[in-house]
């Protein structure tokens, strides 16, 4: 058996590579089904974005910025704290809109420190310097 010594990840990659044409044809044949599934994932019936999609996009953007949770945390915990935080952890200012929140992180190691306002994020050298 040629796949005996492969890990699940290696096997999956090899399987997808060997069946690339099949998957391509399958997606083309079921194009409308996949479009519908993507729409259901992204949008509610009223046209607003779903919470699941918003969460997915936030976490993806944070990862792209090389942020990472502390070893004893995970992305779901970070998102819950972010979405439930009502005021800046630096100056105490209440957030009026979601877009006023910033997830602060240490630029040397990437670890997330807290949810702060735009002003604290851009104009204060290190809001959490006294905490660590």
């Amino acid at each position: 058996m040629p796949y005996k010594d492969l890990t699940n990840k290696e096997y999956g990659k090899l399987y997808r590579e060997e069946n690339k044409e099949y998957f391509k044809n399958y997606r083309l044949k079921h194009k409308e089904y996949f479009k519908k599934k993507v729409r259901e994932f992204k949008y509610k019936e009223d046209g607003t974005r779903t919470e699941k999609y918003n969460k997915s996009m936030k976490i993806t953007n944070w990862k792209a910025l090389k942020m990472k949770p502390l070893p004893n945390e995970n992305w779901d915990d970070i998102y819950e704290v972010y979405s439930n935080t009502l005021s800046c952890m630096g100056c105490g200012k209440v957030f009026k809109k979601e877009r006023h929140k910033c997830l602060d992180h240490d630029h040397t190691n990437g670890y997330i420190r807290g949810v702060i306002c735009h002003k604290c994020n851009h104009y204060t050298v290190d809001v959490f310097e006294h905490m660590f």
Side-chain angles (χ1 to χ4, degrees):
M1 188 166 174
Y3 303 117
K4 178 170 103 173
D5 298 327
L6 298 177
T7 64
N8 285 342
K9 188 174 182 179
E10 293 168 335
Y11 173 77
K13 187 175 181 179
L14 184 63
Y15 181 81
R16 285 189 301 277
E17 190 64 39
E18 289 175 352
N19 295 289
K20 191 180 270 188
E21 198 61 34
Y22 167 78
F23 289 120
K24 181 180 178 181
N25 291 335
Y26 183 84
R27 284 195 65 87
L28 287 172
K29 186 177 177 183
H30 298 91
K31 196 174 192 176
E32 288 305 313
Y33 171 78
F34 285 108
K35 277 186 181 179
K36 180 182 175 208
K37 284 294 181 187
V38 168
R39 276 193 307 271
E40 288 173 2
F41 174 73
K42 286 185 175 182
Y43 303 104
K44 298 177 192 173
E45 289 181 14
D46 64 358
T48 59
R49 289 185 175 167
T50 63
E51 182 62 27
K52 190 174 182 180
Y53 177 68
N54 285 340
K55 179 179 178 178
S56 172
M57 291 309 298
K58 278 282 184 210
I59 292 172
T60 300
N61 290 338
W62 293 336
K63 287 179 180 179
L65 292 170
K66 306 286 188 236
M67 295 182 186
K68 56 186 177 184
L70 292 170
N72 61 339
E73 297 173 333
N74 62 44
W75 285 111
D76 292 328
D77 297 337
I78 298 293
Y79 184 78
E80 285 303 313
V81 168
Y82 178 84
S83 61
N84 294 326
T85 300
L86 302 175
S87 61
C88 176
M89 293 176 175
C91 65
K93 178 181 171 186
V94 176
F95 297 119
K96 292 183 178 146
K97 296 183 179 178
E98 179 77 19
R99 66 181 182 179
H100 294 157
K101 294 180 184 181
C102 298
L103 192 64
D104 184 45
H105 68 288
D106 187 339
H107 287 254
T108 56
N109 60 25
Y111 287 127
I112 295 168
R113 296 184 286 206
V115 182
I116 59 175
C117 67
H118 183 280
K119 186 177 178 182
C120 288
N121 194 35
H122 286 281
Y123 301 115
T124 307
V125 177
D126 191 356
V127 173
F128 296 98
E129 193 172 56
H130 64 279
M131 294 176 71
F132 299 103

Short mmCIF file of all heavy atoms in Angstrom, two decimals, residues 54 104 107:
data_model
loop_
_atom_site.label_atom_id
_atom_site.label_comp_id
_atom_site.label_asym_id
_atom_site.label_seq_id
_atom_site.Cartn_x
_atom_site.Cartn_y
_atom_site.Cartn_z
N ASN A 54 -18.57 37.31 9.60
CA ASN A 54 -17.83 38.42 10.22
C ASN A 54 -16.69 37.89 11.08
O ASN A 54 -15.57 38.41 11.04
CB ASN A 54 -18.76 39.29 11.07
CG ASN A 54 -19.64 40.17 10.23
OD1 ASN A 54 -19.35 40.43 9.07
ND2 ASN A 54 -20.74 40.61 10.80
N ASP A 104 -4.97 45.32 19.83
CA ASP A 104 -3.58 45.68 20.05
C ASP A 104 -2.73 44.43 20.18
O ASP A 104 -3.14 43.44 20.78
CB ASP A 104 -3.47 46.53 21.31
CG ASP A 104 -2.06 47.02 21.54
OD1 ASP A 104 -1.43 47.49 20.57
OD2 ASP A 104 -1.58 46.93 22.68
N HIS A 107 4.41 44.09 18.57
CA HIS A 107 5.01 43.93 17.24
C HIS A 107 6.28 43.08 17.25
O HIS A 107 6.71 42.64 16.19
CB HIS A 107 5.30 45.31 16.63
CG HIS A 107 4.05 45.99 16.19
ND1 HIS A 107 3.69 46.13 14.88
CD2 HIS A 107 3.05 46.57 16.91
CE1 HIS A 107 2.54 46.76 14.79
NE2 HIS A 107 2.12 47.05 16.02
#
